[in-house]
Amino acid sequence: MAKEVIAVFDIGKTNKKFFLFDMDFKEVHRDYTYLEPIQDEDGHPTENLIELQNWIKNTFHSILKSKDYKVKAVNFSSYGASFVHLDDMGKVVTPLYNYTKPINNDIVEKFYAKYGPEIKFCRETGTTREGMLNSGIQLYWLKHEKPEVFSKIKYSLHLPQYLSYLFTGIPVSEYTSIGCHTALWNYEKEDYHEWVYQEEIHKLLPSIVDTGTSINTNLMGHQIKVGVGIHDSSSALLPYIRSIDKKFLLLSTGTWSIALNPFSKELLTDEDTDSNCINYMRINGEPVKAARLFLGNEYNEQVRELATLFGVSEDYHKTVSFDADIHQRIKDNFTHKFKWASLDAASPDVQAPMQFNSYEEAYHQLMMELVELQIESIQRAIGKDNIKQLYIDGGFTNNQIFVELLARGFDGMKVKTTDASLGSALGAAIAISNVELDQKFLKKNYALKKHRPLITN
């Protein structure tokens, strides 16, 4: 008998993944591919939309033909800040411009001169000035730099909603995509920002629907609920929100370390904006206060340097365990020694010389300095909220020293780690299911572990 499943396409910048989950949200099948980027008209790398569409179509058709599975629903999670522009015939008008694409600074200056001051605008929209990463600015850029192209656009869909459109032919907008550092949404007014109306951009943005919306669609003779898509960061947060009954902060670690506070009722302040705090959005339209730190990138740069300095392999850092004696020795006479290569955080004007007795000592010093910055970032995300639970997911959950130092820095908090490798895909499956999750969900599905302080003599 065919197993009933929920299908999810989880589209990242690098890997394109397809999952099937059973009705208990256990993964029963996965497929993935890597698609070589192509170039836009300026030679900048961009998503190969045609190849992506072909892979999605072929993958889904093969599952529908399978006698092993009966697909009840399909949903989509993907990276944000990326628009697909359609003409009145539903054809794609432009490349899917990469959010890393440089943008003419004159256009950006003109925008903030008209709709600023910048700090006020960023506070209202929950953004920092990020060029194309503020996807609304892309529409402004098209209107003023490429008016002949802009005039052809009937609808502009964020990528998750475009993936849904491929299945339904119905264009929609959705909260989590609108709310992820796009500069489109005014969090104070809970509506599109005034500039969107003044520039008549709103005419290109379809009606907003709830993230849990599904559209009943006949696909190859099968009646299937098709979801409207969800932004990957908001999707990754959803299983936590649905299964935890107390306030918490989620620290999602990787190249970027993002502290997500879904319980902040306060709007961003100028100081928050100045400190690289932004807003994401929950599926119900409420803001998620987020503080970002380029932690993983900086970590990789520094451990490469340490490997060279001590003549060890680049993977040597993975063998270092927490040493209470080294930690105490550094703590007793703590001074900053590392100069940051990629962090916005200022390095101290006066730094101690980079002299260490061993790799292990240098590594402990590095982790203590990085965790100091991480603690500051988390505290910015928490703000005035009374939060006593900290969940950590992503690559740094396996770093014993990182977790130990973080737990010591937040002595009054319960610190827990999870293995959320399925995070955004599982969130998309949950979003279309509209089910209640119990408190055992994270333990069963995410390998939830309570942090236990390391015993020291």
Side-chain angles (χ1 to χ4, degrees):
M1 187 175 173
K3 183 184 283 285
E4 293 187 344
V5 291
I6 301 165
V8 174
F9 285 95
D10 185 21
I11 306 303
K13 289 291 289 289
T14 305
N15 291 316
K16 322 301 171 188
K17 302 173 189 172
F18 174 72
F19 296 96
L20 294 178
F21 297 101
D22 68 16
M23 294 300 120
D24 293 320
F25 302 108
K26 295 287 188 187
E27 178 194 345
V28 295
H29 173 83
R30 78 163 67 186
D31 189 10
Y32 68 93
T33 191
Y34 168 76
L35 300 177
E36 283 288 343
I38 57 173
Q39 293 186 341
D40 65 19
E41 68 273 19
D42 298 316
H44 197 79
T46 186
E47 192 75 67
N48 189 333
L49 265 187
I50 293 174
E51 284 299 309
L52 179 61
Q53 289 170 26
N54 289 339
W55 177 73
I56 288 173
K57 180 180 176 182
N58 294 335
T59 302
F60 199 68
H61 280 186
S62 69
I63 289 296
L64 289 186
K65 290 175 186 173
S66 167
K67 292 187 172 70
D68 296 329
Y69 303 110
K70 182 179 181 181
V71 179
K72 303 292 288 182
V74 58
N75 207 0
F76 317 88
S77 65
S78 85
Y79 58 91
S82 301
F83 269 125
V84 180
H85 308 289
L86 305 176
D87 65 14
D88 54 8
M89 300 295 289
K91 292 184 178 177
V92 177
V93 177
T94 71
L96 194 160
Y97 292 116
N98 196 318
Y99 59 62
T100 61
K101 181 182 174 73
I103 190 168
N104 184 344
N105 198 49
D106 291 344
I107 284 285
V108 180
E109 290 292 346
K110 178 182 169 186
F111 178 87
Y112 285 108
K114 186 170 184 181
Y115 297 110
E118 182 180 331
I119 192 78
K120 177 177 179 288
F121 179 88
C122 289
R123 185 190 72 234
E124 291 170 349
T125 56
T127 61
T128 49
R129 180 173 175 164
E130 301 278 5
M132 281 283 204
L133 195 58
N134 307 132
S135 57
I137 304 296
Q138 180 186 141
L139 287 165
Y140 183 85
W141 166 73
L142 280 170
K143 180 178 179 181
H144 293 275
E145 287 274 289
K146 298 176 181 279
E148 71 292 342
V149 174
F150 184 81
S151 66
K152 296 176 185 174
I153 299 174
K154 170 77 171 174
Y155 292 116
S156 292
L157 305 180
H158 277 106
L159 182 55
Q161 285 66 62
Y162 174 68
L163 300 176
S164 175
Y165 173 84
L166 290 175
F167 284 69
T168 66
I170 299 172
V172 296
S173 300
E174 174 274 336
Y175 283 115
T176 68
S177 291
I178 295 167
C180 72
H181 49 72
T182 62
L184 291 167
W185 193 255
N186 187 326
Y187 279 90
E188 296 178 9
K189 294 182 178 177
E190 298 182 342
D191 189 6
Y192 285 122
H193 195 277
E194 183 57 32
W195 82 266
V196 177
Y197 295 108
Q198 285 195 37
E199 296 286 339
E200 299 190 328
I201 297 294
H202 66 289
K203 294 180 179 179
L204 309 181
L205 305 173
S207 299
I208 304 173
V209 299
D210 183 90
T211 311
T213 300
S214 62
I215 299 160
N216 290 322
T217 309
N218 188 302
L219 298 168
M220 291 175 59
H222 301 263
Q223 285 296 320
I224 295 173
K225 286 199 311 182
V226 180
V228 296
I230 181 170
H231 176 244
D232 54 11
S233 293
S234 299
S235 187
L237 184 62
L238 187 57
Y240 293 88
I241 290 174
R242 287 273 177 91
S243 61
I244 301 170
D245 60 358
K246 295 176 182 173
K247 286 185 178 182
F248 67 90
L249 184 131
L250 174 62
L251 180 67
S252 181
T253 64
T255 303
W256 281 94
S257 181
I258 306 176
L260 296 158
N261 175 5
F263 303 97
S264 179
K265 300 300 180 193
E266 298 174 353
L267 296 165
L268 294 184
T269 64
D270 289 352
E271 185 183 2
D272 287 332
T273 300
D274 212 32
S275 302
N276 210 14
C277 282
I278 61 170
N279 280 140
Y280 288 91
M281 200 182 278
R282 288 173 63 164
I283 64 172
N284 61 3
E286 290 182 3
V288 175
K289 187 178 181 182
R292 298 177 298 171
L293 191 63
F294 212 17
L295 186 86
N297 189 79
E298 184 66 39
Y299 176 87
N300 289 336
E301 298 243 4
Q302 297 293 348
V303 293
R304 270 196 296 271
E305 290 287 327
L306 288 182
T308 302
L309 184 64
F310 287 93
V312 297
S313 75
E314 286 195 7
D315 282 345
Y316 186 75
H317 63 102
K318 295 176 183 176
T319 69
V320 183
S321 298
F322 182 76
D323 186 309
D325 292 336
I326 293 176
H327 172 256
Q328 193 61 50
R329 200 160 58 242
I330 296 172
K331 187 178 175 184
D332 287 343
N333 300 288
F334 186 77
T335 52
H336 293 93
K337 296 189 175 184
F338 282 87
K339 188 171 180 64
W340 304 128
S342 62
L343 288 175
D344 285 340
S347 300
D349 293 332
V350 179
Q351 289 175 293
M354 290 275 283
Q355 294 174 345
F356 302 106
N357 294 319
S358 65
Y359 181 99
E360 284 71 17
E361 183 183 306
Y363 186 77
H364 276 70
Q365 173 81 32
L366 171 65
M367 294 311 298
M368 288 170 74
E369 292 193 36
L370 285 175
V371 169
E372 182 182 59
L373 295 175
Q374 184 64 82
I375 288 169
E376 289 173 8
S377 181
I378 290 170
Q379 286 171 333
R380 282 198 295 275
I382 291 174
K384 296 176 183 175
D385 288 306
N386 183 25
I387 292 178
K388 297 297 183 185
Q389 295 196 85
L390 172 64
Y391 289 81
I392 309 168
D393 75 17
F396 277 90
T397 58
N398 297 316
N399 188 311
Q400 181 202 48
I401 298 177
F402 178 83
V403 176
E404 177 71 15
L405 292 178
L406 207 53
R408 290 180 181 223
F410 288 105
D411 195 26
M413 260 193 197
K414 290 180 180 174
V415 176
K416 301 172 184 178
T417 60
T418 60
D419 176 14
S421 58
L422 298 173
S424 55
L426 200 50
I430 291 165
I432 198 172
S433 303
N434 282 318
V435 296
E436 293 298 319
L437 304 180
D438 63 34
Q439 292 180 45
K440 296 177 182 175
F441 180 83
L442 293 177
K443 194 168 186 176
K444 285 191 294 188
N445 296 67
Y446 275 44
L448 176 69
K449 281 190 230 167
K450 291 181 182 175
H451 170 71
R452 304 196 187 287
L454 297 172
I455 306 296
T456 57
N457 295 325

